[in-house]
């Protein structure tokens, strides 16, 4: 069976999934895994689609010193021990800038253009691109496809895309992009199966994880998002601040003497739930804590979700459905209940048993807005795009 490898590289880890290509062009997950602790204590783990442990292995830093080496290690394990030889590799790339509004086969020129967007996503972009470059050098004949978190939002109306700054900055690429697009694209497609009567209506999707954002869908298309020029904007996240007055940044630089590099580190790594609670960026730890600061951080997160729901509902001109997805959205019934309570003014009413029972539809029959919990699958979305580009006739 032909296979496609999907890679999602971070600063010290590589998540991966192998999909089998079924006839007539369907995809099925064969295995998934990760190699994490790169630079400290690299560990490779993977399980089959049935949940069988395939590997649990620790490496030395000398053998896996960086992320490209980690992906090389994964590739060698797949080839040498499982005899898997993918026909292509699909990569999640956070930022496609103003020019990439569709997945693309990677060439040297494409890679050079994508490197220009590293300053717009410094937490993600360089780590997304490193493995692509490595495979290009070591496996030059293997097709690679870049799939962008920004692409799904590129059809926003101009009024949602612009900042109120001089036009020449917009022309240079200073505009609102939106992120988590692969997740939203998957949810939009999944809604056609789960709730076809709702899928083409006015829907807000809340992608709530360590990175968090919200998206307004109309007729299955993104028309507005809480994230903007970078993945810092909008909701507070695990360690990112979310929406903040630009004057705060100016104050830190001009009055407190904080360097731009230090401000960048602060906003990406030391804010959000971690900064508010002083305890953790992990919602599970915060929900289990009895500390008042943890409770405040959760309450703040819920409050901002409710505020942005009002904003996105205004952009849509109403609201027919609300979807929770990603790690927190899929796994925290208590947070979903608190958000729903804040949205009662929109007519939202939860079915408590359905919410706590891990059901897909969790709103009560009398609710004015349908509320769903739909697990996202960005890897499958990447595999679909990759297959479409390398096997366009399928």
């Amino acid at each position: 069976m032909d296979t496609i490898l999907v890679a999602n590289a971070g600063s010290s880890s590589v998540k991966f999934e192998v999909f089998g290509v079924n006839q007539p062009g369907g995809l099925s997950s064969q295995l998934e895994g990760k190699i994490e602790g790169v630079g400290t204590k690299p560990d490779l783990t993977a399980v089959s689609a049935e949940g069988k442990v395939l590997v649990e292995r620790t490496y030395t830093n000398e053998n896996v010193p960086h992320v490209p080496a980690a992906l090389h290690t994964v590739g060698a394990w797949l080839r040498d021990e499982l005899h898997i030889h993918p026909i292509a590799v699909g990569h999640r790339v956070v930022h496609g800038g103003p020019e990439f509004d569709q997945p693309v086969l990677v060439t040297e020129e494409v890679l050079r253009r994508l490197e220009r967007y590293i300053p717009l996503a410094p937490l993600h972009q360089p780590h997304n691109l490193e493995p692509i470059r490595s495979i290009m050098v070591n496996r030059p004949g293997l097709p690679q496809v870049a799939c962008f978190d920004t692409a799904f939002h590129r059809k926003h109306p101009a009024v949602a895309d612009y900042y109120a700054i001089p036009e020449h900055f917009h022309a240079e690429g200073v505009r609102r992009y939106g992120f988590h697009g692969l997740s939203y694209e998957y949810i939009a497609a999944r809604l056609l199966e789960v709730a076809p009567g709702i899928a083409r209506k006015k829907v807000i999707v809340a992608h709530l994880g360590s990175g968090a954002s919200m998206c307004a869908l109309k007729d299955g298309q993104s028309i507005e998002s809480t994230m903007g020029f970078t993945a810092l904007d909008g909701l507070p996240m695990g360690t990112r601040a979310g929406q903040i007055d630009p004057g705060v940044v100016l104050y830190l630089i001009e009055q407190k003497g904080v360097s731009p590099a230090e401000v960048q580190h602060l906003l990406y790594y030391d804010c959000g739930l971690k900064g508010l609670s002083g305890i953790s960026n992990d919602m599970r730890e915060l929900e289990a804590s009895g500390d008042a600061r943890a409770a405040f951080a959760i309450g703040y997160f819920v409050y901002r979700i409710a505020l942005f729901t009002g904003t996105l509902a205004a952009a849509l001109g109403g609201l027919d459905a609300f979807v929770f997805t990603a790690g927190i959205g899929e796994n925290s019934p208590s947070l979903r209940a608190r958000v729903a309570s804040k949205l009662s003014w929109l007519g939202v009413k939860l079915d408590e048993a359905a919410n706590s029972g891990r059901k897909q539809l969790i709103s009560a029959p009398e609710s004015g807005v349908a509320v769903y919990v739909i697990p996202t699958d960005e890897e499958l979305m990447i595999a679909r795009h990759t297959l479409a580009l390398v096997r366009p006739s399928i």
Side-chain angles (χ1 to χ4, degrees), residues 59-271:
Y59 297 86
T60 66
N61 287 338
E62 289 74 20
N63 288 331
V64 187
H66 42 60
V67 167
L71 190 57
H72 178 78
T73 299
V74 169
W77 173 69
L78 291 172
R79 289 191 307 272
D80 299 342
E81 300 186 36
L82 299 188
H83 308 293
I84 291 174
H85 301 272
I87 60 171
V89 183
H91 298 267
R92 177 190 180 221
V93 177
V94 165
H95 217 302
E99 56 184 320
F100 293 104
D101 60 0
Q102 296 289 334
V104 63
L105 277 166
V106 180
T107 63
E108 285 281 357
E109 173 59 23
V110 166
L111 191 56
R112 279 194 295 271
R113 285 152 66 187
L114 291 176
E115 286 170 345
R116 297 204 302 255
Y117 306 124
I118 287 175
L120 308 190
L123 194 65
H124 302 92
Q125 194 86 346
H127 310 301
N128 298 157
L129 300 182
E130 277 184 325
I132 298 177
R133 174 70 72 186
S134 177
I135 291 173
M136 233 179 222
V137 171
N138 295 300
R139 299 287 306 281
L142 183 61
Q144 298 187 81
V145 174
C147 301
F148 306 104
D149 259 346
T150 51
F152 187 62
H153 304 294
R154 294 309 304 126
K155 294 180 181 178
H156 279 180
V159 71
D161 191 50
Y162 270 71
Y163 287 109
I165 56 178
E167 169 65 30
H168 67 88
F169 289 114
H170 181 85
E172 292 168 11
V174 183
R175 58 184 73 182
R176 300 186 70 248
Y177 291 100
F179 297 86
H180 294 133
L182 291 163
S183 176
Y184 295 127
E185 185 179 11
Y186 175 82
I187 296 297
R190 188 78 178 101
L191 273 173
L192 288 170
E193 302 169 358
V194 171
I198 290 289
R200 296 295 186 186
K201 293 185 177 181
K202 300 167 183 176
V203 180
I204 291 174
V205 184
H207 177 106
L208 308 178
S210 180
S213 69
M214 297 168 67
C215 176
L217 299 178
K218 182 181 285 187
D219 196 26
Q221 301 294 317
S222 170
I223 67 160
E224 182 59 275
S225 171
T226 57
M227 282 183 168
F229 179 58
T230 70
L232 279 173
D233 201 7
L235 294 175
M237 299 167 234
T239 62
R240 282 172 265 172
Q243 186 181 61
I244 190 169
D245 185 338
V248 174
V249 176
L250 297 176
Y251 170 78
L252 292 174
I253 293 172
E254 295 177 355
Q255 303 300 321
K256 303 295 289 185
V258 182
S259 72
E262 290 170 329
V263 171
Q264 176 174 287
H265 188 278
L266 170 72
L267 296 178
Y268 273 105
Y269 294 102
D270 294 327
C271 294

Side-chain angles (χ1 to χ4, degrees), residues 368-384:
V369 174
V371 183
Y372 294 88
V373 181
I374 302 178
T376 192
D377 196 337
E378 294 160 297
E379 288 74 20
L380 178 57
M381 205 72 243
I382 293 169
R384 287 173 178 170

